[in-house]
Amino acid sequence: MSCDLFISYSHLDKDFVHTLCAGLASGGVSYFLDEKDIEWGASIGKRATEGLSSAAGVLLVLSPGSLKSAWVPFEIGYASARGKQILPLLTHPALELPGYLGDIKCLQTEAAIKYLRSSAWKERAQTTSPLRAAGPT
C-alpha cells in the first residue's frame, strides 16, 4: 500500500488533521493516517514504519501538542534516515522549532495545502533524496 504522504501529528490536533486530510483527499493526495490505516489490535510501531516506508513524504503537523509527542520525533527520524521528504506545516507561527528539524523550511497551513495540491512536491520527492527544504523556492 503506497501513498503520497504519511501524516505525523499529535492526537490533540485530530480535528485539525481530519479537516486537513479531507482537503488533501479532495485534491487527489493519498495519505497514511494512523486512525484510518492502523487496525484495532495491530502493532502501532510496525504499521507506522510500514506506512512511513511506503509514503513519498511525511507531512509533519507542528503544534504545541506534536512538540510533546513521543511518536512524532520517532516518525521524523525514521523517515529522515530513509531519505523521505519532510514537509513541516506550522499550525502556530510563533512555535519554536525542535532541533530534529534542522534547517528544513516550514510552511503555514494555506501555503502548505496549495503546495501539496500541486505536483511540484511529488516531482521533487522523486528526484531529490533526501530533500531538506520543502515548499516553493
Side-chain angles (χ1 to χ4, degrees):
M1 168 187 91
S2 69
C3 62
D4 294 324
L5 292 171
F6 180 98
I7 311 296
S8 180
Y9 71 106
S10 164
H11 280 218
L12 297 173
D13 302 313
K14 72 179 180 178
D15 291 338
F16 173 83
V17 168
H18 289 165
T19 301
L20 174 68
C21 288
L24 293 174
S26 73
V29 177
S30 63
Y31 60 89
F32 180 101
L33 184 69
D34 61 345
E35 290 184 350
K36 173 177 75 70
D37 295 299
I38 300 178
E39 301 82 15
W40 186 17
S43 166
I44 296 169
K46 181 179 180 200
R47 289 292 294 128
T49 56
E50 289 170 354
L52 285 160
S53 295
S54 72
V58 177
L59 176 58
L60 168 58
V61 178
L62 276 171
S63 69
S66 69
L67 293 176
K68 295 177 183 175
S69 169
W71 281 104
V72 168
F74 167 80
E75 293 162 354
I76 300 308
Y78 187 91
S80 293
R82 282 149 186 80
K84 300 290 182 174
Q85 184 178 27
I86 308 296
L87 302 166
L89 183 157
L90 285 173
T91 61
H92 298 78
L95 281 178
E96 188 171 323
L97 300 180
Y100 61 79
L101 286 181
D103 65 347
I104 299 175
K105 181 178 178 179
C106 299
L107 292 178
Q108 291 186 359
T109 306
E110 289 183 26
I113 290 174
K114 181 179 177 183
Y115 182 66
L116 290 169
R117 285 185 169 174
S118 76
S119 61
W121 74 273
K122 290 181 190 180
E123 293 165 8
R124 291 181 75 181
Q126 293 172 356
T127 60
T128 308
S129 180
L131 181 63
R132 300 304 302 168
T137 54

